[in-house]
Amino acid sequence: MIQDTFIPFGFQYYRSPTPFKDQWENDLRSIAEQGFNCVKYWVQWRSSGAKEGVYQFDDIQELMDIAHRNGLKMVLNVIFDVAPAWFFRKYPDSKMIAADGSIVEPRAINCRQIGGAPGPCYHHDIAAKEKGKFLSEAVKAFKDHPALWVWDLWNEPELTTSIKRKLSFDNQVCYCDNSLLAFQAWLKNKYGTLTAFNEAWQRNYRAWEEVEAPRGQAVFNDLVDWRLFMSDTLTEELRNRVDIVKELDPVHPVMVHTVPAPIFNMITAGSDDFKLAEPCDLMGNSLGSSAWSADLLISAAKGKPVINSEIHALPGNTAMKPGKPDLQEMKRHILIPLARGIAGYLFWQYRPEILGQEAPAWGSVYLDGSPTPWYEDMGELNRLIQANKEELLLAQRRSDGMAILYSPQNQIANFAAHDHLDTYNHSVQGVHKLLHELNYNVEFLHESDITKETLAKYRCLWMPYPLYLNQSMCDALRQWVDQGGILISECSFGALQAENGCHSYTVPGYGYDKVFGVRESWIHSVENLDHSYHQVAFASSAAIPLRNMMADGQEEGLAAGTRTAHGSYYISDLELESHVKVLAEYSDSSLPAVTRAAYGSGHAVYIGTLLAASYWQDSHTGTLQLVRDLLQSELRLLPQVNVSVNVSGGVRADLAKWEDKEGAGAFLYVHNEGQKAASAVIMLPDVYTFVEPWFEDGSATLRRDSSDLYKTCLDAYIEPGDVQVFRLS
């Protein structure tokens, strides 16, 4: 059973040593009596393996038995980043080494109060064997327990469990001898010969043993390979854990739950959700209560079930106490991911933390265990979910065929170039924000999935700041555009070449000056850079005004037919071929800023600045209007569900359809993301004649629409920040 008839809804409960034993029976009974059905326990290496060769799971066994008596299903989260004290004492060479040469000593941290974080180096062979022994013993102890639902094999995968998470060259790990040998073997496997490797890195190594790991800002391909190697290391570690569990317990599913970018990055965290999803039966997410993280995880899961395994509703610590969430906030935590098909919810956590720096935050109940108003709200939401679970598990959203390129390699190259990730992260998040607010169902397409077959599923691909590309990807994209695809790219397309790490002589690179019909003759930074001999940290993101040549209307100081949008970071001087259409100009120079060209049966749009990054920073209405005009008027890419107040009102609507033996229907989720109450007109692609709200304060009316695409209109009034759900038939 993964999620055939079960929607988990409950709490993280036990992270040894808290809650204490005298609270277990009453707490778990109360959870069940309130209608919740699932809890999660941590099975920690240091806690249950404190003596070499001895494994004690008495606490977990008792908790499992109590859960079973109360009808609760269990997630067992096996934690390895708290290695036992005996292990470090016996194997001091297992400690990670950072780029600055410092040893990452084992320690207690706010979320690993029992010590031993971040665990041993991932390339220490004995550590791998000991972790495998511990996992095997845990699986043998609980694989036949009737309360077990799923094995969660990694809590928020990253390299150092937050100890060296801060983005910097010095915080990268691991530079021990074991990691260096593993890196050299990884390079040999990737490139095959030293000749091919030296050509890619522009070096002259005479043996694999000479290869050094990069330690600072210099060139590009060495850092890209170094960070991809560590990311592959995390993925391989997870695969090994999955293999151990599957061999001993072929019945219960396995999962991992991750933290989405940009909180975790490819430089110091090394976590790639798309790769980590591959060996698992289902995926989970921390911080999954936003549209961004939900869409990213669903894309990474590629059709596998997804749950929100740590909903952070009560964040805080001893110094910064948590706020009190109201019903609207609780609805957002549940209904934003539910609207996308995420069907599973575990709050972090049931009782407030009492041990360490995270105390007294994170509690769904009060410190003494009595219910809070938000605990009652959680219960009401759970009752609604369970009452509709059969249809919810069948419900599917239609794809709008709109994809955003997700590129770990480009992320790494951005850091190598800028010493920060703002250019990349702001661009990717900005594109999502633009498409989300225009009511498209947004999908992310990983760079490793750029193939003829995968691209055929999409109408449009947006490439945010695609600085670092490769020939294979560009060949597949060119064929897709030629056959009718719509490619949208921001500036510097393929400026850096993965094959040799060098800058392209012509930008757009890889011959794409012929696809876009433009050439960057120069690219300006927004700020005036200091050209003296010291490192300049480029961080300027001042707004660059653009004139929208597609829009009707008039703004003060601009001629009729124009409207102001914003770019950021860069201004590209674009030389155009004769067939290229100008869609926007730079306001201060009337030079082309956004262009469209036909290529084969498709279209290629070039944006000579970081338009999406600017929108992430300032949410400028004119930028949203420009993108709406581009997609809907210029390119005829309409969303299947549309909202008339989106540009100015901030209302988002999601439709999920279901069909069973007794009939068919849909759930419509309407979220007012704005600061003011809104009367929304939501246009739907199918005919509906009956609407029923989930909540007492929800109301809506239906009427027919006779347009070619939309068949029904739903009129709804939504308070600011609220989410309403309507059952349609």
Side-chain angles (χ1 to χ4, degrees):
M1 177 185 66
I2 296 181
Q3 277 189 289
D4 48 358
T5 59
F6 179 57
I7 298 180
F9 202 122
F11 308 91
Q12 154 69 27
Y13 182 72
Y14 182 64
R15 176 171 63 182
S16 175
T18 60
F20 295 124
K21 186 174 181 178
D22 61 352
Q23 298 162 338
W24 297 350
E25 192 78 52
N26 287 336
D27 284 351
L28 294 172
R29 184 176 62 252
S30 296
I31 290 171
E33 288 175 348
Q34 183 66 11
F36 301 106
N37 60 17
C38 190
V39 289
K40 180 169 68 170
Y41 303 151
W42 278 23
V43 185
Q44 302 181 86
W45 186 16
R46 172 169 279 220
S47 178
S48 297
K51 183 178 179 181
E52 183 176 5
V54 178
Y55 306 97
Q56 294 181 315
F57 302 110
D58 295 350
D59 54 346
I60 306 298
Q61 181 67 54
E62 184 171 349
L63 283 160
M64 294 283 282
D65 293 344
I66 297 172
H68 179 56
R69 289 199 299 271
N70 287 280
L72 298 171
K73 287 296 183 182
M74 304 305 309
V75 177
L76 287 184
N77 201 172
V78 189
I79 307 296
F80 297 97
D81 50 35
V82 284
W86 67 261
F87 183 84
F88 287 117
R89 192 169 64 251
K90 188 172 182 178
Y91 304 105
D93 64 326
S94 69
K95 299 172 185 176
M96 298 186 200
I97 300 175
D100 61 4
S102 62
I103 297 175
V104 186
E105 296 287 352
R107 68 198 71 182
I109 57 177
N110 62 342
C111 56
R112 303 292 189 275
Q113 302 98 316
I114 62 174
C121 172
Y122 294 105
H123 301 113
H124 193 273
D125 289 340
I126 297 176
K129 292 176 183 176
E130 289 295 337
K131 286 186 285 186
K133 290 179 184 177
F134 177 74
L135 179 57
S136 295
E137 293 300 320
V139 174
K140 286 186 283 188
F142 300 113
K143 66 185 180 66
D144 296 321
H145 200 287
L148 179 62
W149 174 51
V150 63
W151 294 99
D152 188 346
L153 296 180
W154 207 331
N155 181 86
E156 302 177 354
E158 64 171 322
L159 291 168
T160 64
T161 319
S162 80
I163 294 170
K164 293 284 185 179
R165 186 188 299 164
K166 184 177 180 182
L167 192 64
S168 76
F169 286 98
D170 284 346
N171 275 347
Q172 295 176 75
V173 295
C174 173
Y175 289 81
C176 74
D177 291 342
N178 292 324
S179 290
L180 181 56
L181 288 172
F183 181 46
Q184 292 163 348
W186 184 91
L187 292 169
K188 186 176 182 179
N189 182 66
K190 176 178 179 177
Y191 291 104
T193 67
L194 270 171
T195 300
F197 167 65
N198 280 325
E199 183 177 347
W201 274 33
Q202 301 301 310
R203 307 290 167 85
N204 62 351
Y205 293 117
R206 307 297 296 171
W208 292 106
E209 292 75 18
E210 294 179 353
V211 176
E212 304 128 319
R215 291 180 182 268
Q217 189 173 22
V219 294
F220 301 103
N221 277 3
D222 55 0
L223 189 68
V224 170
D225 277 340
W226 175 234
R227 292 296 88 190
L228 288 180
F229 157 69
M230 292 304 298
S231 180
D232 283 355
T233 296
L234 292 189
T235 303
E236 187 61 26
E237 170 87 6
L238 177 62
R239 289 186 185 277
N240 291 337
R241 298 179 189 182
V242 170
D243 289 345
I244 290 170
V245 175
K246 290 292 188 181
E247 182 177 353
L248 295 170
D249 181 4
V251 175
H252 294 96
V254 297
M255 65 171 288
V256 64
H257 78 268
T258 66
V259 173
I263 299 172
F264 281 11
N265 60 72
M266 288 294 294
I267 309 304
T268 57
S271 181
D272 184 340
D273 288 3
F274 287 79
K275 297 300 182 183
L276 292 166
E278 290 175 1
C280 296
D281 299 312
L282 68 155
M283 280 289 285
N285 199 352
S286 299
L287 309 174
S289 305
S290 72
W292 155 266
S293 57
D295 288 339
L296 184 61
L297 184 66
I298 287 172
S299 299
K302 297 179 182 176
K304 295 177 180 178
V306 177
I307 68 171
N308 275 14
S309 44
E310 286 189 16
I311 299 175
H312 292 181
L314 276 298
N317 53 49
T318 311
M320 183 62 67
K321 306 300 189 290
K324 292 182 176 181
D326 59 14
L327 175 59
Q328 280 195 1
E329 181 178 338
M330 282 297 121
K331 289 167 72 174
R332 292 194 294 271
H333 283 306
I334 302 301
L335 300 178
I336 289 175
L338 182 64
R340 286 151 176 77
I342 294 180
Y345 313 95
L346 298 176
F347 284 89
W348 187 280
Q349 52 192 6
Y350 180 71
R351 277 185 174 267
E353 188 56 71
I354 59 171
L355 177 64
Q357 197 257 348
E358 288 191 341
W362 305 101
S364 299
V365 296
Y366 289 119
L367 279 162
D368 63 0
S370 59
T372 62
W374 51 92
Y375 181 67
E376 301 293 341
D377 291 338
M378 294 171 184
E380 179 58 30
L381 288 165
N382 176 49
R383 283 186 282 275
L384 283 167
I385 296 289
Q386 303 305 334
N388 293 275
K389 68 179 181 180
E390 285 81 9
E391 293 91 343
L392 288 171
L393 289 169
L394 291 171
Q396 299 288 327
R397 293 198 306 166
R398 292 181 182 173
S399 171
D400 275 325
M402 306 291 289
I404 302 170
L405 178 67
Y406 188 78
S407 171
Q409 294 186 46
N410 205 31
Q411 183 186 144
I412 300 166
N414 265 255
F415 183 71
H418 299 298
D419 194 19
H420 64 71
L421 283 174
D422 291 351
T423 43
Y424 178 78
N425 285 335
H426 290 177
S427 294
V428 177
Q429 290 177 284
V431 177
H432 178 271
K433 184 177 180 181
L434 284 162
L435 297 181
H436 171 83
E437 293 184 7
L438 291 172
N439 225 81
Y440 293 96
N441 292 339
V442 187
E443 301 171 47
F444 291 91
L445 184 59
H446 194 277
E447 61 192 359
S448 63
D449 294 323
I450 298 289
T451 65
K452 177 182 177 181
E453 293 74 23
T454 305
L455 286 169
K457 303 175 184 177
Y458 298 102
R459 298 185 293 167
C460 178
L461 175 67
W462 189 312
M463 301 180 70
Y465 191 36
L467 180 69
Y468 183 92
L469 299 177
N470 63 72
Q471 187 70 61
S472 176
M473 178 192 298
C474 291
D475 288 347
L477 287 171
R478 181 184 285 106
Q479 183 180 12
W480 172 71
V481 176
D482 183 63
Q483 295 175 353
I486 297 173
L487 182 64
I488 301 174
S489 175
E490 296 183 304
C491 64
S492 300
F493 180 99
L496 297 176
Q497 302 174 347
E499 288 73 23
N500 58 17
C502 295
H503 203 285
S504 298
Y505 293 117
T506 300
V507 180
Y510 295 99
Y512 267 69
D513 53 325
K514 301 303 181 184
V515 176
F516 291 105
V518 304
R519 180 176 180 269
E520 290 185 3
S521 59
W522 199 264
I523 186 165
H524 310 266
S525 297
V526 174
E527 62 188 8
N528 294 318
L529 294 179
D530 183 348
H531 293 283
S532 60
Y533 290 97
H534 63 265
Q535 185 66 43
V536 177
F538 177 76
S540 174
S541 56
I544 301 167
L546 314 176
R547 291 187 294 178
N548 180 358
M549 310 304 290
M550 298 172 285
D552 295 325
Q554 184 173 353
E555 289 185 357
E556 184 178 353
L558 295 176
T562 63
R563 188 172 295 164
T564 303
H566 286 169
S568 63
Y569 289 103
Y570 297 114
I571 298 173
S572 297
D573 291 344
L574 300 179
E575 296 179 354
L576 275 56
E577 295 184 5
S578 59
H579 67 285
V580 175
K581 181 179 180 180
V582 176
L583 306 180
E585 297 176 341
Y586 297 112
S587 296
D588 61 350
S589 65
S590 297
L591 294 175
V594 182
T595 64
R596 178 179 66 81
Y599 185 81
S601 300
H603 298 274
V605 175
Y606 204 74
I607 303 171
T609 182
L610 299 191
L611 184 83
S614 178
Y615 192 69
W616 178 253
Q617 294 149 7
D618 66 14
S619 301
H620 183 60
T621 302
T623 307
L624 187 65
Q625 180 63 50
L626 183 147
V627 174
R628 181 181 185 128
D629 291 339
L630 168 66
L631 296 177
Q632 299 187 12
S633 299
E634 188 72 21
L635 299 172
R636 303 297 179 184
L637 296 170
L638 293 172
Q640 295 189 55
V641 176
N642 213 340
V643 183
S644 64
V645 297
N646 246 31
V647 168
S648 59
V651 173
R652 165 81 190 190
D654 290 276
L655 185 72
K657 299 174 62 178
W658 54 268
E659 185 173 355
D660 60 18
K661 296 179 181 179
E662 297 180 0
F667 296 106
L668 180 68
Y669 306 84
V670 186
H671 180 196
N672 184 356
E673 300 173 321
Q675 302 299 314
K676 298 180 179 179
S679 296
V681 179
I682 300 158
M683 292 160 277
L684 305 172
D686 302 294
V687 176
Y688 297 100
T689 58
F690 178 77
V691 56
E692 179 185 10
W694 269 20
F695 302 99
E696 291 183 358
D697 60 345
S699 63
T701 57
L702 294 172
R703 52 189 170 86
R704 292 295 300 272
D705 190 293
S706 58
S707 65
D708 293 336
L709 181 59
Y710 304 113
K711 306 302 181 185
T712 305
C713 285
L714 182 142
D715 298 291
Y717 177 84
I718 312 293
E719 294 289 343
D722 195 21
V723 187
Q724 292 289 338
V725 184
F726 302 98
R727 184 178 175 123
L728 306 176
S729 61

